[in-house]
Amino acid sequence: MSLKIRMARGGAKKRPFYRIVVADSRMPRDGRYIEKIGFHNPMVDADNDERVKIDLDRAKHWLSVGAQPSPRVHRFLAEAGVLDKPVITAQTKKNQPKAKAQERMREAEEARKAAEEAAAAPAEEASAEEAAES
C-alpha cells in the first residue's frame, strides 16, 4: 500500500479548508483516509497560528513507515523543521521572464557596466598622475 500525506479539501464554495491526512494514494482526494494529522486554513493571515497545524509526532511516524508527502505538505513540514526544504530542480521557461523583459534586463546590465567603467577611468587617471608626480 502506497501512503501519501496530502490535503483533503473541505469547506464551502470559495471558502476552502483543508485537512492534512494520511491516505492510500489510490483513494480520491477527498475520499477515505487513514488518519487526520492536521489542517490548513488558507483564509486566515499567513502569520496567524491557526493557518497550519500539524501533529508533528504523527507526521514523523508516518514518514518513518514510508508515507510520501505531497509538495505542499512537504513545504509545511519543512517550515516546521521535520524535513529538509524541497529542492526545485526543474528549470522551465515558465519561471523565466518574458523575452522583452530579459532584453531590458540585459540592456540595464550593460548600462550599469558602462557606468562603472566610466567611473573607474577617471580614478585610474588620477592615480597615474599621482604616481608620475612622485
Side-chain angles (χ1 to χ4, degrees), residues 23-45:
D24 185 346
S25 64
R26 297 170 292 189
M27 291 294 131
R29 178 192 72 181
D30 301 335
R32 190 171 65 195
Y33 58 87
I34 298 169
E35 182 180 356
K36 176 185 168 193
I37 61 171
F39 66 85
H40 168 58
N41 185 0
M43 299 303 291
V44 299
D45 293 331

Side-chain angles (χ1 to χ4, degrees), residues 3 36 52 58 62 65 72-73 77 91 102 105 108 115 134:
L3 297 175
K36 176 185 168 193
V52 177
R58 295 306 295 164
W62 286 109
V65 296
R72 179 63 53 134
V73 173
L77 292 172
Q91 293 296 326
Q102 286 182 355
M105 288 170 37
S134 300

Side-chain angles (χ1 to χ4, degrees), residues 51-69:
R51 185 169 173 99
V52 177
K53 286 239 190 231
I54 299 176
D55 183 352
L56 298 178
D57 292 333
R58 295 306 295 164
K60 289 177 186 175
H61 164 74
W62 286 109
L63 290 169
S64 70
V65 296
Q68 295 296 314

